[in-house]
Every structure is written in C-alpha cells, then in structure tokens.
Amino acid sequence: MKTSLLKTIRQPGDKQKKGKLNYKVVTFAICVVLATALWFMNAFSKKYTDSLTFYVSYQNLPQDKKYPSANSVQVKVNASGFQLMTYKMGFNESVIKLDASQFKHSYYAFTNHTHNEKLQEQLGESIKLLDISPDTVYLRSEPPTSDQN
C-alpha cells in the first residue's frame, strides 16, 4: 500500500477552500486595524506643544503705499493632537487677521496683552497661544523684496 506524498497531504475538499480566506487571518487583521485606530485616538487626545505657521491677512492698509514686513508668523501653541492635526492637514484656516489701522507708529507689536487676546480669540478656546515669532510686524514704505518674508 504505497501512497504518494501528495495524496497524503491533499484532503478531499481542498478545491472548495482555495478561494476562501482563512477566518483567523481576517480576524487578526480586524483586531490590528481596531487596535491601531484606538491607539491613534488615545495619542491624539493628549495635549501637545507645537509651532504652526499662520499667514497674516491685513485689513485697512493705509493708502500711502505702506507694505507689511511679514506675510506669515510662527505661532507656538498648546493644543490637543486632533486640533493640531486639523491645522497641519489644512482643514482649519491658518490665517490671522490684523487691522492695520491699529498699528501704532507703523508697527504692530504682539507683546501687548490686548493683542494676544485678539489672536487668542481668532484661534479659539481649544488652542492656547504660547508665543509668536516675529513679535512685531512693521509697515514700511517700500515693497518687500523677494528674499524677505
């Protein structure tokens, strides 16, 4: 009674199982996906400190051809990972609006407490403003050159 090795390994019904996925592999894959999703949710719920680039939108610029010195500012914030992710991925508008009529002597300093409060209002309650760089924006009479920000 000699039987070949292939006949011993093969079992009746192998042709039917060929197209089906192994349910253990599928269960494992679902568990990995679920665990990864829960890990991301846990990580993004924590508070992080990070720098974000905000573009500056000037309103009420003077008519005597004055130009702002900065088109963007770096804002250091403390926020949840979900909030930071929405800014980094571009879901939230990252624009700070400055009223040029409030510039004193051709500059706008962010060091004043009232200016920080205005920026904090624009960012919302879920984001805490820590630092702004540059801390002063100037209006100058010549247009900015291409190598300046």
Side-chain angles (χ1 to χ4, degrees):
M1 251 196 4
K2 290 185 176 181
T3 58
S4 73
L5 182 61
L6 289 176
K7 286 184 180 178
T8 309
I9 294 175
R10 266 194 219 166
Q11 296 176 359
D14 272 352
K15 292 181 183 177
Q16 294 172 354
K17 290 185 180 180
K18 222 177 202 180
K20 294 183 180 180
L21 288 176
N22 189 349
Y23 74 94
K24 290 181 182 179
V25 173
V26 173
T27 304
F28 177 74
I30 289 172
C31 289
V32 168
V33 168
L34 184 62
T36 303
L38 291 173
W39 179 79
F40 272 114
M41 288 177 57
N42 182 39
F44 284 141
S45 66
K46 295 177 183 175
K47 294 279 187 179
Y48 295 98
T49 300
D50 198 6
S51 292
L52 300 172
T53 301
F54 281 85
Y55 296 98
V56 181
S57 171
Y58 296 94
Q59 300 168 342
N60 302 323
L61 279 171
Q63 298 299 324
D64 58 354
K65 298 199 179 196
K66 297 225 178 201
Y67 300 94
S69 62
N71 295 330
S72 64
V73 292
Q74 290 287 327
V75 179
K76 190 174 184 180
V77 295
N78 187 345
S80 71
F82 289 113
Q83 286 292 326
L84 290 174
M85 184 181 65
T86 59
Y87 278 101
K88 295 242 182 203
M89 296 187 79
F91 295 127
N92 279 351
E93 186 179 28
S94 56
V95 175
I96 293 176
K97 296 175 184 165
L98 293 181
D99 188 3
S101 65
Q102 295 182 357
F103 280 46
K104 300 200 190 294
H105 306 292
S106 297
Y107 68 90
Y108 189 92
F110 295 113
T111 55
N112 191 338
H113 183 67
T114 58
H115 298 295
N116 282 347
E117 283 180 357
K118 289 179 186 178
L119 291 177
Q120 183 64 54
E121 286 176 11
Q122 291 182 30
L123 293 175
E125 294 178 8
S126 60
I127 296 179
K128 183 179 178 189
L129 178 67
L130 299 177
D131 188 34
I132 302 170
S133 177
D135 62 351
T136 306
V137 176
Y138 296 96
L139 286 179
R140 49 186 186 205
S141 53
E142 75 278 351
T145 59
S146 63
D147 63 333
Q148 291 178 338
N149 209 2

